[in-house]
Amino acid sequence: MGTDPGASGVQVNAQPVTVTLTAGKQYQTISHFGGSDAWACQFVGTWPDAKRNALADLLFSRDTLAGGQPKGIGLSLWRFNIGAGTAEQGAASDIRDEWRRAESFLNADGTTYNWDKQAGQVWFLEAARKRGVPEFLVFPNSPPVQFTINKKGYAHAGKPNLTAENFGLYADFLASVIAGIQKKTGVTIQYISPVNEPQWDWSDAGQEGTPFYNNEIAGIVRALSASLVKAKLPAKINIAEAGQIDYLYSPFNKQGRGNQIHAFFDKTSPDYIGSLPNLAQAISGHSYFTTSPYNQASQKRRELAAAVAKVPGLQYWMSEYCILGDNDGEIQGNGKDLGIDAALYVAKVIHNDLVNANASAWHWWTSISAYNYKDGLVYIDKNKTDGNFEASKMLWTLGNYSRFVRPGATRIDVSDQPGLLISAYKNVNNQLVAVIVNEQKEKAAIDLKAQDFQFSNVKIFRTSAQEDLKPVAADNEENTIIAEGRSITTIVADIIH
């Protein structure tokens, strides 16, 4: 049976190839697919009702339009950015772009709170809850400016911007914010992530942020654990949002800030915090700067998975990604791309993180972007009170996973097929989901073979240059799926035992 070379020189079979699914061979359990409200939601959440609701539908809705078209991508976790107060400082914050400043619930006196702050973000939090998003995570990029060493939301000379004496104040603040949000909105916060990318210097005043060493993170988490217990809050602490996955399983290039799996979850480490009652048994990292070339990226993720597997019960969460940098010349972060090129790159990253790193969670960074950059699922005019918006193919590509692979799903085994990236999952409702990424120009015909189960009622959804998670008719030939060239195809079916 003749073959044709694909776009990247990989041979793709012109005739159907068999892909075998084995439900009895299982890997990680999926916790959630998420996105962050930083930074645009502080403004977009105050836009006219019709527009902000349309944006919330794109991100959160699991409803279906006439003809079977999904209304949105059904995120299963929403990340709420707890601001440090740089918005109140204005130009004195030194953060030049006001869209990257953030309000704080904490008043200037450092002791009282204003729960009417961050109103736009609170609106999106409630909109997510109303549309069925089951879990919520709150995260700061910096402690409140009232507590920092330089009274700014960014660090000086790459040094941590919080003294150990203020760890308790910071922890009490985070617990108070969780309690305040829950009281105001009725939304229960499941997770709190107290530090963000602690390996970076955060000294350029580009946004809120501060570095921390592992021993400082451990101190903050111990204090936060006590504050949550005291406040009788159910939120679990998620750590440590590593700026690059290398820091999770190796020393890499930052003394005292790498090897975080060992530091926090090995009982022989002085920074061990794994036994705290409210610490989530997961370690989080960001996929930035490690996604190209693909083979090298895969190897890094296998090394990460091996390190995580050494800690019984530990999960890995990929908790932040958008396209940054030049990615070994494959794709640039600069320049907005609403089309399929950026979407396919993102699909490959998602697949690599789920299949090779065994990620239990996958979260996007800026869900709504006002920038000329590949950082948004949805793009808006940089207008604080009103504007236009447009969805990207990256939104719908994430939807190929988030809409259908639901919390509690288990990834199952799939036989490899050169030229295609295929993963499969079994939802808790006995639903099969398989996602096929075909980066090649040529279409591929795939015969899905279930090794130890049967399935029926097949539905197919496709994202391509012409389609946005569009339902497409199944091939007449039973269990034969056509993965069009340069597309992401999701198959949903009922499992029959």
Side-chain angles (χ1 to χ4, degrees):
M1 61 183 184
T3 59
D4 296 314
S8 61
V10 179
Q11 299 285 38
V12 178
N13 292 310
Q15 295 183 14
V17 295
T18 298
V19 172
T20 302
L21 311 178
T22 307
K25 189 172 183 181
Q26 301 182 349
Y27 302 97
Q28 78 271 31
T29 298
I30 301 299
S31 296
H32 29 66
F33 289 87
S36 161
D37 69 357
W39 290 279
C41 288
Q42 63 181 310
F43 299 123
V44 182
T46 66
W47 277 19
D49 267 352
K51 290 182 179 178
R52 64 183 181 177
N53 274 299
L55 284 159
D57 283 341
L58 287 171
L59 294 168
F60 309 131
S61 178
R62 296 187 68 203
D63 291 343
T64 302
L65 300 172
Q69 176 73 40
K71 193 174 186 179
I73 67 168
L75 293 177
S76 45
L77 178 137
W78 186 238
R79 300 174 63 94
F80 181 100
N81 178 216
I82 300 174
T86 53
E88 288 86 347
Q89 290 181 323
S93 69
D94 301 330
I95 298 174
R96 295 169 295 282
D97 184 351
E98 62 179 320
W99 283 63
R100 291 192 171 202
R101 302 170 193 160
E103 284 186 348
S104 175
F105 292 113
L106 188 65
N107 289 322
D109 61 13
T111 56
T112 61
Y113 292 84
N114 180 353
W115 301 115
D116 292 328
K117 291 291 184 74
Q118 301 197 240
Q121 293 170 250
V122 167
W123 185 90
F124 267 92
L125 189 76
E126 293 177 308
R129 189 266 311 274
K130 289 175 183 176
R131 288 162 176 80
V133 175
E135 293 194 304
F136 298 89
L137 180 151
V138 295
F139 71 100
N141 288 320
S142 164
V145 296
Q146 294 92 328
F147 302 160
T148 61
I149 294 171
N150 63 3
K151 305 305 177 186
K152 303 284 187 180
Y154 68 96
H156 175 70
K159 296 178 180 178
N161 203 17
L162 186 73
T163 63
E165 289 76 18
N166 279 346
F167 287 177
L169 280 174
Y170 182 36
D172 286 344
F173 161 78
L174 293 174
S176 296
V177 168
I178 292 173
I181 288 175
Q182 291 183 171
K183 184 177 180 180
K184 182 178 179 65
T185 65
V187 175
T188 299
I189 303 301
Q190 282 77 23
Y191 302 104
I192 165 73
S193 181
V195 300
N196 175 64
E197 297 184 342
Q199 292 82 14
W200 307 147
D201 287 350
W202 299 116
S203 300
D204 64 353
Q207 66 166 84
E208 295 180 350
T210 178
F212 286 114
Y213 289 90
N214 289 341
N215 63 334
E216 293 171 313
I217 295 170
I220 289 169
V221 170
R222 291 182 187 117
L224 178 56
S225 175
S227 295
L228 293 173
V229 170
K230 182 180 178 181
K232 298 180 180 178
L233 291 167
K236 298 286 188 181
I237 304 167
N238 174 239
I239 53 173
E241 307 276 2
Q244 197 167 317
I245 63 172
D246 308 74
Y247 294 114
L248 294 176
Y249 62 90
S250 74
F252 202 41
N253 58 8
K254 297 280 186 178
Q255 186 70 29
R257 292 190 245 182
N259 266 332
Q260 292 188 310
I261 294 170
H262 168 80
F264 302 132
F265 290 98
D266 190 317
K267 293 179 181 179
T268 66
S269 165
D271 301 321
Y272 174 70
I273 48 179
S275 62
L276 291 174
N278 44 15
L279 185 74
Q281 292 302 298
I283 193 157
S284 60
H286 300 171
S287 277
Y288 299 128
F289 315 118
T290 61
T291 55
S292 293
Y294 188 85
N295 288 341
Q296 182 176 317
S298 300
Q299 178 58 33
K300 283 180 177 287
R301 281 153 180 78
R302 286 190 290 270
E303 292 175 21
L304 169 58
V308 171
K310 291 179 182 178
V311 182
L314 187 65
Q315 295 182 346
Y316 166 57
W317 290 5
M318 200 306 294
S319 56
E320 186 179 312
Y321 183 73
C322 68
I323 300 176
L324 293 182
D326 67 359
N327 301 288
D328 207 47
E330 292 182 2
I331 190 169
Q332 294 283 337
N334 284 317
K336 181 170 68 175
D337 183 351
L338 300 174
I340 197 63
D341 290 347
L344 281 166
Y345 189 85
V346 169
K348 290 168 61 181
V349 174
I350 297 173
H351 176 91
N352 209 354
D353 285 330
L354 294 176
V355 171
N356 290 310
N358 282 334
S360 293
W362 203 94
H363 303 165
W364 186 262
W365 172 219
T366 49
S367 301
I368 301 173
S369 173
Y371 296 98
N372 184 27
Y373 207 88
K374 296 179 184 66
D375 60 349
L377 299 176
V378 185
Y379 286 86
I380 60 166
D381 299 333
K382 202 171 186 180
N383 186 314
K384 291 190 286 186
T385 59
D386 195 359
N388 299 309
F389 65 89
E390 50 190 347
S392 73
K393 297 287 182 184
M394 293 185 288
L395 171 85
W396 298 113
T397 290
L398 178 53
N400 277 84
Y401 294 89
S402 61
R403 170 92 186 194
F404 305 107
V405 183
R406 303 305 298 172
T410 304
R411 186 169 69 86
I412 65 174
D413 194 62
V414 181
S415 61
D416 289 336
Q417 178 57 47
L420 301 171
L421 299 176
I422 308 175
S423 59
Y425 311 84
K426 180 183 177 182
N427 279 324
V428 293
N429 65 352
N430 246 18
Q431 192 178 60
L432 169 69
V433 179
V435 185
I436 304 168
V437 181
N438 183 10
E439 192 186 18
Q440 318 309 318
K441 291 180 179 178
E442 294 78 13
K443 68 176 65 176
I446 301 162
D447 284 339
L448 286 182
K449 178 184 177 183
Q451 179 74 23
D452 49 3
F453 64 97
Q454 293 179 319
F455 60 91
S456 65
N457 193 24
V458 174
K459 297 179 181 178
I460 303 171
F461 299 84
R462 187 163 59 226
T463 300
S464 66
Q466 295 78 33
E467 300 150 314
D468 295 330
L469 206 59
K470 180 182 177 181
V472 296
D475 190 83
N476 290 330
E477 197 172 335
E478 188 177 2
N479 294 350
T480 297
I481 307 298
I482 302 299
E484 294 291 342
R486 300 190 61 71
S487 73
I488 305 97
T489 301
T490 297
I491 299 100
V492 182
D494 296 327
I495 293 177
I496 306 169
H497 287 288

